Amino acid sequence: MLKFITKRLLMGALILVLAMFLVYLLIYNLPTSYIEKTARELASKPGSRPYTEWLEVLNSQYGLSDNPVTGFLTWCSNAVRGNFGDSWLWTIPVTEKFKEVIWNSFWLGLAAFLLEAAIAIPLGVLAATKQYSATDYTITVLSLIGISMPTFFVATVFKMIFAVHLGWFDPYGMENARIHATLPPFGQFMDTLAHFVLPCMTLVAIGIGSLMRYTRTNTLEVLNADYIRTARAKGLPEKKVIGYHAFRNTLIPIVTILGNSLPGLFSGALITETLFSIRGIGYISYYSMIQGDIPFTMFYLAFSSILTILGTLLADILYAVVDPRVRVN
Amino acid sequence: MAGNVKDTNYISAREASKIARFNRKVTAKLEAQHANKNTPESYYLTKMHDENNVVEFDNVCTYFFTDIGTSKAVDGISFNVPKCSTVGIVGESGCGKSVTSLSLMQLLQRPSGQVVGGEIRFNMGDGKAYDVVKTPTEQMQHIRGKHISMIFQEPMTSLNPVFRIGQQIEEVLELHYPEMTKEQMKARTLEMLELVGIANSEGVYSMYPHELSGGMRQRAMIAIALACSPDLIIADEPTTALDVTIQAQILDLLRELKDKINSSIMLITHDLGVVAQMADYVVVMYAGRVVEKGTSDDIFHHPMHPYTVGLMKSKPVVGQKVDKLYNIRGSVPNPIDMPDYCYFRDRCESVCDRCHGEYPPEIKVSDTHIVSCYRFFDEGEVLGYPRSVNPEDLLND
């Protein structure tokens, strides 16, 4: 097992380096350039140096005058030492900005993930056990709606219902700017929590469908298996046949999906966070990207790549936990 | 002429929705009967016609309500399984052998598969007998595994891949003997594993199914089936998926065990050789009906029904050189649209005048030998005709 994990980690490192090089190339060639923009701004000041001169000064200041290969190598050598540089846009070290916002994303993602699993898996199993019944059709239609709707639409509908018509929540932001500062600590916490409800609902609504359908399909497959008939032939009550014999087997593929999405909790929900102005990692990196903030974007994408690689590894390990047939000796 | 033949596999949308509506109504009604927890015992209590039988099938009809119509998979079959004996059920694929056994276990693919008529009397051993057809599912769970157990065709897929062998055997003990302690259960499990010829019982106890070979897995399945010392073991093609040497071992094992444990075996197979070796009584099925039944001597040495005769002829014999193996011409009628005359008539080589009438009755030609063929109409006592159920009537009563 240790050998397997080491091998996978080494392969992951190689993949990571290649992926980051591609990302660097892409950002390098992005039409939006933070440098050009700043140079233009500085040049437009009265009595300033001309634009081209500023451009040269800034390029050398930010270490961008080289070609992309040497630029990437410089970034790499700094990155492995844990030095990701300062963010151009936020003007503080990249890692500091990251620490500031990551937990907002994490708690939002975790709440949505747990709710999703808690709702989707039981409903999926229920739909499968009552195949072709009214319950099954209702669940299937709801999950299809969830899959088909784009995030921005769901978010807007929720805002309209819960923020505009019912007035239960604020449509965006992380706190109520007018009263937040005056509240006691617990009140502040509750205020922030209330602002997380709508984004969380949006994430659940769009994520739940696929997991539900996946669970349903897998449960159906398992329910038709011979060992389920054996379990019934033993005289086990139906509840135990489904909840114990079938569910343990349904879990195998579901765990792969869940394992893959666990690291995703840290990578933020770019669209949802932006729509609700939640200052999480997705929201911040969105603004970094459109402003051409190379250090922050590189850091964020490197971070997500590492998460993806760890995610697949985690899924493989979890697979061995639930399925004795794939345990490596 | 070909244009006049009704193609039962093609139906119009209107017909399809009519069938679907009908199926929904019928199955909902039958399912409600199964699910009723307050059914009084008197409703499904019955009396054995002969106390020496473990099971009596009496005109059992099992239909599948499919999207293209009602398929009469088993249609009025009657036979008995006497105590401590082996009954072989033979017939070609799709003739209703497995459906018969699944009806007895109430393990049909529900809701589309339903026993719609007849009685399956199961001897509970304490003077009581249950009519399995009417027994509610909850009561049935106490019978399955404890009084009747089943060995399946596919040992590769019949064991749950994520649980250890020991755990899977103990589960059935835990369920039916809740008073047993953990140590007693483990001791019984190890004893069972040794009984079915697994030498390394301690090792196998904590193994997963994928660590065992096909033959070993089938032995483990047999151990599960035997754990509660059932009155009846249904072996549904237990050796079909195994190679020939293992087949022989498993059959020897079953025969040996039968003497040790005092239970009856219902052996379902399409392998005549296996039946000849194992069975005391043989039931030959064709297109959902019993065409001939008797002792294995009756069936193998004095086959009477043209179908049985054809089966015997189409079996290769060692030492006999033939250019082409015999085969019965034609094919089985469509189970959704059965003819109203003898199902075998169109393939039969010895049709007589009476064959153009209704389906032949059961004719008792000797004390043990019963055949459903008009050619013996005058030679024996006529016992009775198999009675179909009209699906439309199910909604009325």
Side-chain angles (χ1 to χ4, degrees):
Chain A
M1 199 65 188
L2 200 69
K3 203 178 142 197
F4 167 76
I5 294 175
T6 327
K7 208 170 116 189
R8 286 292 303 267
L9 282 176
L10 287 175
M11 267 162 65
L14 182 71
I15 294 170
L16 182 67
V17 171
L18 291 174
M20 286 329 293
F21 181 60
L22 278 178
V23 168
Y24 192 87
L25 272 183
L26 280 174
I27 300 178
Y28 194 86
N29 293 310
L30 220 58
T32 331
S33 166
Y34 181 76
I35 310 271
E36 278 168 25
K37 207 185 90 194
T38 322
R40 223 174 282 124
E41 261 168 34
L42 289 170
S44 64
K45 281 180 183 153
S48 167
R49 281 186 277 187
Y51 169 71
T52 39
E53 259 175 58
W54 269 119
L55 200 62
E56 237 166 79
V57 172
L58 285 172
N59 262 336
S60 65
Q61 247 177 28
Y62 286 114
L64 274 180
S65 45
D66 316 302
N67 66 0
V69 179
T70 44
F72 176 67
L73 289 177
T74 322
W75 179 83
C76 269
S77 64
N78 284 327
V80 288
R81 272 176 268 144
N83 176 16
F84 290 93
D86 293 348
S87 164
W88 298 346
L89 179 63
W90 311 102
T91 58
I92 49 169
V94 163
T95 40
E96 219 162 273
K97 188 70 191 170
F98 171 73
K99 272 183 217 150
E100 193 185 305
V101 296
I102 184 64
W103 296 110
N104 290 336
S105 280
F106 175 74
W107 292 119
L108 176 62
L110 185 71
F113 174 80
L114 291 179
L115 274 174
E116 235 173 73
I119 298 172
I121 296 176
L123 281 185
V125 173
L126 183 74
T129 48
K130 305 196 169 190
Q131 199 188 4
Y132 302 139
S133 67
T135 324
D136 181 22
Y137 287 131
T138 316
I139 292 175
T140 308
V141 167
L142 285 179
S143 67
L144 269 179
I145 292 176
I147 294 171
S148 323
M149 298 244 249
T151 315
F152 63 84
F153 181 75
V154 176
T156 314
V157 170
F158 280 171
K159 276 184 190 176
M160 197 183 81
I161 298 173
F162 295 103
V164 178
H165 288 307
L166 294 172
W168 291 351
F169 306 107
D170 283 351
Y172 50 79
M174 278 173 60
E175 61 268 303
N176 189 330
R178 271 182 298 123
I179 57 159
H180 191 77
T182 63
L183 290 169
F186 182 71
Q188 284 186 347
F189 172 74
M190 291 308 287
D191 182 41
T192 310
L193 201 65
H195 281 83
F196 272 75
V197 171
L198 280 185
C200 186
M201 272 169 61
T202 309
L203 283 178
V204 172
I206 54 166
I208 205 168
S210 57
L211 187 60
M212 200 143 73
R213 290 201 54 78
Y214 198 68
T215 313
R216 179 180 176 272
T217 319
N218 280 304
T219 311
L220 277 179
E221 199 180 310
V222 169
L223 283 178
N224 283 322
D226 288 346
Y227 51 80
I228 295 303
R229 196 179 49 182
T230 311
R232 291 203 177 109
K234 280 176 178 174
L236 288 172
E238 201 56 24
K239 221 189 249 166
K240 217 171 165 204
V241 171
I242 289 163
Y244 189 60
H245 281 259
F247 190 62
R248 262 303 300 272
N249 285 282
T250 313
L251 263 187
I252 297 170
I254 293 177
V255 153
T256 330
I257 285 206
L258 294 186
N260 263 327
S261 53
L262 262 183
L265 298 182
F266 288 95
S267 62
L270 197 141
I271 300 174
T272 312
E273 282 174 15
T274 314
L275 286 169
F276 286 97
S277 306
I278 299 289
R279 292 185 299 278
I281 188 81
Y283 174 81
I284 298 298
S285 56
Y286 169 72
Y287 280 102
S288 305
M289 272 184 239
I290 59 171
Q291 301 281 344
D293 180 353
I294 294 184
F296 195 88
T297 312
M298 278 304 282
F299 171 75
Y300 173 67
L301 291 174
F303 179 66
S304 341
S305 311
I306 293 172
L307 288 180
T308 313
I309 290 164
L310 285 181
T312 41
L313 179 65
L314 185 69
D316 283 349
I317 295 169
L318 281 178
Y319 213 100
V321 172
V322 290
D323 191 348
R325 285 167 295 182
V326 294
R327 274 172 212 169
V328 192
N329 290 323
Chain B
M1 198 53 207
N4 294 336
V5 176
K6 196 185 159 210
D7 185 355
T8 43
N9 288 322
Y10 175 77
I11 47 171
S12 67
R14 184 173 299 175
E15 271 179 297
S17 70
K18 199 177 143 203
I19 291 171
R21 231 183 354 257
F22 172 75
N23 287 352
R24 254 200 315 277
K25 259 196 235 161
V26 172
T27 52
K29 189 177 169 196
L30 293 166
E31 280 301 293
Q33 282 171 11
H34 287 300
N36 190 357
K37 280 180 187 153
N38 303 321
T39 315
E41 205 187 12
S42 58
Y43 178 68
Y44 53 88
L45 213 55
T46 181
K47 261 199 92 59
M48 300 301 285
H49 286 192
D50 181 352
E51 274 299 321
N52 290 322
N53 288 336
V54 184
V55 194
E56 290 168 358
F57 287 86
D58 191 352
N59 196 54
V60 176
C61 300
T62 304
Y63 295 175
F64 286 88
F65 297 95
T66 71
D67 290 345
I68 52 166
T70 305
S71 165
K72 302 183 174 181
V74 165
D75 197 14
I77 60 158
S78 308
F79 66 90
N80 301 330
V81 180
K83 277 182 182 161
C84 300
S85 65
T86 304
V87 175
I89 302 177
V90 283
E92 59 198 29
S93 304
C95 72
K97 307 183 297 279
S98 292
V99 172
T100 307
S101 65
L102 293 175
S103 307
L104 171 58
M105 288 291 267
Q106 277 198 9
L107 280 179
L108 290 163
Q109 193 77 49
R110 288 216 314 239
S112 65
Q114 299 282 355
V115 183
V116 294
E119 263 196 341
I120 304 176
R121 293 183 287 270
F122 181 73
N123 196 340
M124 296 293 285
D126 48 4
K128 276 202 259 182
Y130 283 166
D131 178 7
V132 171
V133 177
K134 289 182 185 157
T135 309
T137 310
E138 204 166 282
Q139 184 62 33
M140 201 58 214
Q141 280 161 1
H142 299 291
I143 298 178
R144 287 183 203 152
K146 190 177 187 186
H147 295 281
I148 316 173
S149 62
M150 203 158 175
I151 304 165
F152 294 101
Q153 186 173 355
E154 280 287 342
M156 293 311 204
T157 52
S158 292
L159 290 165
N160 197 326
V162 299
F163 299 122
R164 293 175 198 278
I165 298 289
Q167 202 182 339
Q168 300 196 38
I169 302 177
E170 273 174 9
E171 189 177 31
V172 67
L173 290 170
E174 196 185 332
L175 190 69
H176 296 293
Y177 299 105
E179 70 281 0
M180 267 179 134
T181 62
K182 281 230 148 46
E183 291 74 34
Q184 280 173 321
M185 279 198 290
K186 184 166 182 186
R188 172 86 179 153
T189 304
L190 291 176
E191 186 197 326
M192 281 298 123
L193 285 173
E194 274 155 34
L195 187 71
V196 296
I198 292 176
N200 173 22
S201 55
E202 278 280 354
V204 170
Y205 179 86
S206 54
M207 276 184 193
Y208 286 100
H210 71 276
E211 295 172 280
L212 302 177
S213 67
M216 290 284 265
R217 281 189 227 185
Q218 194 60 302
R219 284 170 196 268
M221 275 303 293
I222 296 174
I224 293 176
L226 293 179
C228 292
S229 316
D231 306 307
L232 176 69
I233 299 167
I234 303 170
D236 189 354
E237 309 201 20
T239 56
T240 309
L242 303 172
D243 72 75
V244 189
T245 38
I246 306 297
Q247 248 181 44
Q249 288 176 18
I250 295 289
L251 290 175
D252 283 341
L253 175 70
L254 277 178
R255 221 176 1 216
E256 223 174 89
L257 288 172
K258 200 193 95 192
D259 301 331
K260 276 189 203 162
I261 56 174
N262 281 333
S263 42
S264 303
I265 298 180
M266 206 167 120
L267 181 69
I268 296 166
T269 179
H270 50 240
D271 187 335
L272 290 170
V274 170
V275 178
Q277 259 184 63
M278 298 275 304
D280 306 312
Y281 301 94
V282 180
V283 176
V284 184
M285 285 185 69
Y286 178 75
R289 283 198 168 149
V290 173
V291 290
E292 188 169 6
K293 57 192 173 187
T295 60
S296 44
D297 179 61
D298 289 335
I299 303 293
F300 283 95
H301 298 127
H302 315 284
M304 294 181 123
H305 196 281
Y307 177 65
T308 321
V309 176
L311 276 186
M312 300 293 166
K313 267 205 269 179
S314 51
K315 178 177 69 172
V317 180
V318 178
Q320 197 178 333
K321 200 169 174 228
V322 282
D323 288 336
K324 200 177 170 205
L325 203 56
Y326 176 82
N327 69 315
I328 306 174
R329 69 193 162 99
S331 56
V332 190
N334 186 333
I336 288 177
D337 193 19
M338 282 295 194
D340 48 7
Y341 47 86
C342 175
Y343 297 165
F344 195 62
R345 192 190 79 184
D346 295 338
R347 308 175 71 182
C348 191
E349 285 170 354
S350 42
V351 183
C352 58
D353 290 344
R354 278 210 185 88
C355 295
H356 299 287
E358 62 178 317
Y359 190 90
E362 290 195 322
I363 297 156
K364 195 172 179 180
V365 286
S366 80
D367 277 349
T368 52
H369 200 165
I370 291 169
V371 63
S372 293
C373 180
Y374 277 120
R375 277 176 46 229
F376 306 96
F377 196 74
D378 301 319
E379 291 176 29
E381 179 196 344
V382 174
L383 291 180
Y385 292 83
R387 295 178 304 279
S388 267
V389 173
N390 182 2
E392 309 282 340
D393 294 343
L394 290 170
L395 285 176
N396 301 332
D397 55 68

